Amino acid sequence: MASGNTVLMRLVASAYSIAQKAGMIVRRVIAEGDLGIVEKTCATDLQTKADRLAQMSICSSLARKFPKLTIIGEEDLPSEEVDQELIEDSQWEEILKQPCPSQYSSIKEEDLVVWVDPLDGTKEYTEGLLDNVTVLIGIAYEGKAIAGVINQPYYNYEAGPDAVLGRTIWGVLGLGAFGFQLKEVPAGKHIITTTRSHSNKLVTDCVTAMNPDAVLRVGGAGNKIIQLIEGKASAYVFASPGCKKWDTCAPEVILHAVGGKLTDIHGNVLQYHKDVNHSARPKPDFFRAQLFLESHSCFSQ
Ligand code: AMP
Ligand code: MG
Ligand code: MG
């Protein structure tokens, strides 16, 4: 392990603070009451003012500090001067105290690609299912997802009006994942989590064919990986091309850092080069994510 003062660890430390700021923006837009909803490709593919402001905040904050990064954000926004109020300049000092895995110690800024989903679970956000929402910042090197940050702006939401909202989960391959308690699903239970708002016959047939004990339909790719690492589900299966690289990059790192696996149906790792097709897989393939803990072998590989 090298010292924490490497480009990668400085980027992760900044991404942590930047994701926190984005989470605050996501909460502020709800509090102000005007979501500014726009349909992108269809009625289940939405963009809100929070998606727009959070992306501006994340991408501009990262670009100011790390001008040679390749940053790819979900939302297609006009390039305009970003309000200084949206810029986050700080970094999470605790991360800088961690060592950098030696295989990443000499990475240069220009070697990294950052995949940004400023608000994952937008459909659920517009429906008030706020704990489904996450902010995702994934970091890739040589086409592989190697570090990631997930902010969950409404974590603790059910705890009542006085609860402190929000948490940030982060991870680096070879170092670990932090900011949550790793849990297993109850022994012998085979629980699949999948989409709640982008389903179709193939998606449901595929889940049914796996004969699970229960199906957990929740919004957001980030949120579904959280269901895996916190023991609410044993596998995430999505037989649809709808997920994009910004949906899977950060969640994949967190899952891999704790011993899970996110692959396409053939067991291949996903690619995160800057020129890659943004869809996770072209039709009609799909991906699956699973956490392997102790004797978990509920679904054959
Ligand atoms: P879901 O599990 O439905 O919350 O989807 C996870 C992520 O993939 C979200 O960012 C969705 O916006 C995206 N997604 C999944 N299916 C589609 C689709 N059919 N059209 C647009 N986005 C999709
Ligand atoms: Mg998303
Ligand atoms: Mg999004």
Side-chain angles (χ1 to χ4, degrees):
M1 296 270 187
S3 99
N5 200 19
T6 60
V7 169
L8 179 66
M9 297 308 282
R10 284 194 295 107
L11 175 58
V12 176
S14 290
Y16 185 106
S17 299
I18 290 168
Q20 277 193 323
K21 167 95 173 186
M24 196 205 72
I25 294 169
V26 167
R27 288 191 295 267
R28 192 175 68 202
V29 169
I30 288 276
E32 288 173 358
D34 173 18
L35 292 192
I37 299 170
V38 175
E39 275 186 24
K40 294 199 284 189
T41 57
C42 63
T44 55
D45 189 13
L46 305 176
Q47 184 195 74
T48 69
K49 184 176 174 185
D51 298 69
R52 295 186 286 276
L53 290 178
Q55 176 158 314
M56 284 184 227
S57 171
I58 296 167
C59 294
S60 303
S61 301
L62 285 173
R64 280 203 194 181
K65 263 197 158 162
F66 303 94
K68 294 185 193 151
L69 281 182
T70 299
I71 305 169
I72 305 173
E74 173 176 6
E75 309 305 335
D76 200 6
L77 301 175
S79 54
E80 55 188 45
E81 194 56 32
V82 167
D83 195 329
Q84 184 59 33
E85 183 270 323
L86 292 175
I87 301 296
E88 176 60 56
D89 190 39
S90 68
Q91 53 194 358
W92 197 250
E93 299 293 331
E94 287 303 309
I95 295 179
L96 295 175
K97 293 182 194 151
Q98 300 287 331
C100 179
S102 49
Q103 64 271 34
Y104 304 138
S105 61
S106 53
I107 289 181
K108 296 199 267 319
E109 218 176 289
E110 54 270 39
D111 300 332
L112 293 167
V113 180
V114 183
W115 294 89
V116 177
D117 187 341
L119 197 169
D120 179 53
T122 301
K123 184 74 168 59
E124 284 69 25
Y125 181 67
T126 64
E127 295 173 18
L129 296 168
L130 299 175
D131 52 356
N132 287 197
V133 167
T134 55
V135 173
L136 305 175
I137 304 179
I139 298 167
Y141 171 63
E142 294 183 335
K144 304 279 180 297
I146 62 161
V149 175
I150 301 180
N151 179 272
Q152 194 176 21
Y154 287 94
Y155 175 70
N156 230 2
Y157 182 55
E158 331 76 66
D162 298 328
V164 178
L165 293 179
R167 66 168 163 178
T168 307
I169 293 169
W170 68 279
V172 177
L173 292 192
L175 182 63
F178 310 91
F180 65 98
Q181 197 75 46
L182 186 63
K183 284 205 200 93
E184 291 191 61
V185 285
K189 282 269 179 217
H190 303 164
I191 304 168
I192 292 187
T193 185
T194 194
T195 185
R196 71 171 276 281
S197 59
H198 298 98
S199 204
N200 58 39
K201 187 166 182 314
L202 182 60
V203 169
T204 49
D205 283 355
C206 179
V207 169
T208 308
M210 299 187 87
N211 199 23
D213 296 313
V215 180
L216 183 61
R217 295 179 201 284
V218 292
N223 181 37
K224 282 190 271 294
I225 295 296
I226 291 174
Q227 304 306 309
L228 294 187
I229 61 177
E230 295 197 320
K232 308 268 175 39
S234 12
Y236 169 12
V237 181
F238 188 42
S240 165
C243 267
K244 314 291 191 306
K245 300 296 180 178
W246 41 74
D247 290 306
T248 52
C249 189
E252 175 182 316
V253 171
I254 305 301
L255 187 66
H256 285 188
V258 297
K261 203 82 196 150
L262 190 150
T263 67
D264 71 13
I265 188 55
H266 306 293
N268 299 316
V269 293
L270 303 184
Q271 294 295 320
Y272 295 93
H273 294 288
K274 66 176 173 5
D275 304 317
V276 81
N277 179 345
H278 290 186
S279 303
R281 289 292 297 173
K283 272 197 240 188
D285 266 339
F286 67 100
F287 73 87
R288 53 187 287 164
Q290 193 172 345
L291 182 57
F292 302 101
L293 288 170
E294 295 184 0
S295 60
H296 280 197
S297 57
C298 48
F299 303 102
S300 60
Q301 272 274 61

